[in-house]
Amino acid sequence: MNESLFQPTKIGRYEAANRLFMAPMTRSRAYGGRPDALVAEYYAQRAAAGLIITEGVQPNVRGQGYIDTPGLHGPEQVEAWKAVTGAVHERGGLIFAQIMHTGRIGHPFLYPDGGLPVGPSPVASGESLFDGSGMVPHPVPRELTVAEIQEVVDDFAAAAGNAIAAGFDGVELHGANGYLINQFLSDESNLRDDEYGGDAERRSRFAIEVVDAVADAIGADRTALRISPSNGYNGIVQSDPVEQYTALLEGLRHRSDLAFLHTAQIGGAEHTPLVRELWEGTLVVNPATGLDLSGVDTALGRGADAVALGAAWLANPDLDVRLRAGAPLNEPDAATFYGGDHSGYTDYPYLQSA
């Protein structure tokens, strides 16, 4: 393993102790929409990561796309998150909240008013979600009006402010994996012909407005953005990723002082060199799936400032120790990824007891 992985690196106003970050992972254990003591323990166990990026946190009620995911849009949620950030900070860690509006990846059963999920255009994902007993298809979303788009931008900024009030060190905006920001970037899910659609530059507008609003609210050096140019997750389609992400990154040139840009290579790494070329600021690469860490050295060798790993951290709270020692890694238990209790969550063994 590349020794530079364990060297400090700068992310915005902070110095991360190493370049081995923990990627965001939905775990569906925020019962009642708020994290509890078990969630705090889970993140605190992994505080040796250079940076923890949390599971996706919805910025408003309509931003929820899965059962038992947490929010940052109410005072009770802010108070609940304080226990999580405090536990991570007590162990010397850094933690960013990932703010995720799922857009069309939702369902009326998730919302108190029973309304439809929203999106840039009335185009269904073609995918399904778990409702607690089985899988149900995503409905056709309701198209956001221009005025509602501004309200969503404001909700992102408000949630970022709530994150800082809850003790987070910063936020990552989820612009990947087929969620709302990504839906605006896609010419399959965004069929608008107004200022938010029609060509690559206008499809980038929503993402840039969200980044700007959040950076203005909490500081660019506490704001990050995640993208996934090659990923077709959640039914997303991009006919020309090079054109679209060139437009997006050129539109973000004035924000090269962001804490970082995070690019996920799920679906392929072919667009990472373009991202590195166009992005002048700090770049985090999510190079691996499962326990396949073969892409870590490649990412660092090609200019990544840090790497973010998911399943490896999920199953190995002492991942840094294991990698330094060349020790075997715990295998993640996929059956316990979503929902449940401490099993497959806080009970993975450390090296000395493995």
Side-chain angles (χ1 to χ4, degrees):
M1 190 61 64
N2 191 322
E3 274 302 311
S4 69
L5 191 63
F6 304 104
Q7 296 174 357
T9 190
K10 186 80 168 172
I11 51 167
R13 66 178 63 182
Y14 307 106
E15 183 172 81
N18 57 62
R19 303 204 282 168
L20 181 61
F21 292 4
M22 177 174 163
M25 292 173 282
T26 296
R27 303 305 308 273
S28 293
R29 284 173 168 85
Y31 304 110
R34 298 186 297 273
D36 60 13
L38 189 66
V39 177
E41 180 184 358
Y42 164 74
Y43 284 116
Q45 285 180 342
R46 292 154 179 81
L51 173 69
I52 292 172
I53 308 169
T54 71
E55 63 209 276
V57 181
Q58 51 259 17
N60 57 27
V61 171
R62 199 72 75 198
Q64 184 173 359
Y66 302 96
I67 60 173
D68 300 322
T69 56
L72 262 172
H73 51 84
E76 299 89 354
Q77 295 165 339
V78 172
E79 287 302 311
W81 278 113
K82 287 180 179 178
V84 177
T85 60
V88 171
H89 290 152
E90 186 175 344
R91 298 197 190 184
L94 288 171
I95 183 168
F96 274 36
Q98 186 191 69
I99 302 180
M100 178 179 80
H101 191 305
T102 59
R104 69 180 184 176
I105 307 303
H107 196 278
F109 83 81
L110 292 167
Y111 316 126
D113 67 1
L116 288 169
V118 296
S121 299
V123 180
S125 73
E127 305 290 337
S128 301
L129 77 160
F130 183 65
D131 69 355
S133 59
M135 301 301 290
V136 295
H138 294 134
V140 175
R142 182 177 62 78
E143 179 174 298
L144 287 163
T145 68
V146 171
E148 288 173 331
I149 288 172
Q150 188 55 58
E151 291 175 2
V152 174
V153 172
D154 292 343
D155 287 343
F156 269 100
N162 286 342
I164 300 305
F168 284 102
D169 299 298
V171 304
E172 175 183 273
L173 304 171
H174 201 341
N177 293 9
Y179 299 121
L180 185 61
I181 293 175
N182 198 181
Q183 290 161 30
F184 270 91
L185 295 171
S186 167
D187 53 357
E188 171 268 338
S189 52
N190 182 353
L191 306 180
R192 306 175 73 99
D193 58 4
D194 60 8
E195 59 264 48
Y196 290 97
D199 61 27
E201 184 176 346
R202 293 198 295 273
R203 286 194 299 271
S204 300
R205 179 171 177 168
F206 177 70
I208 295 168
E209 287 186 356
V210 172
V211 169
D212 283 341
V214 170
D216 289 345
I218 67 171
D221 58 356
R222 294 196 290 195
T223 303
L225 173 67
R226 191 183 203 212
I227 60 173
S228 57
S230 306
N231 193 358
Y233 189 63
N234 278 319
I236 209 72
V237 175
Q238 194 74 66
S239 64
D240 191 341
V242 171
E243 177 188 39
Q244 184 59 63
Y245 285 88
T246 297
L248 174 64
L249 295 177
E250 287 181 346
L252 287 171
R253 283 190 183 277
H254 67 295
R255 289 298 185 186
S256 62
D257 59 343
L258 292 180
F260 56 88
L261 179 72
H262 180 185
T263 188
Q265 292 186 166
I266 300 171
E270 65 268 28
H271 297 115
T272 303
L274 173 70
V275 173
R276 177 69 285 180
E277 178 185 349
L278 293 174
W279 181 250
E280 297 178 354
T282 300
L283 180 65
V284 177
V285 174
N286 180 195
T289 56
L291 299 184
D292 178 9
L293 306 186
S294 59
V296 170
D297 287 349
T298 300
L300 293 173
R302 293 180 177 174
D305 297 289
V307 295
L309 302 179
W313 272 114
L314 181 154
N316 298 274
D318 57 348
L319 180 62
D320 59 320
V321 173
R322 290 174 181 270
L323 293 183
R324 279 184 180 276
L329 301 181
N330 297 323
E331 289 283 343
D333 176 13
T336 59
F337 280 177
Y338 307 110
D341 54 17
H342 69 285
S343 301
Y345 193 56
T346 57
D347 64 346
Y348 281 103
Y350 288 77
L351 183 60
Q352 60 267 29
S353 59

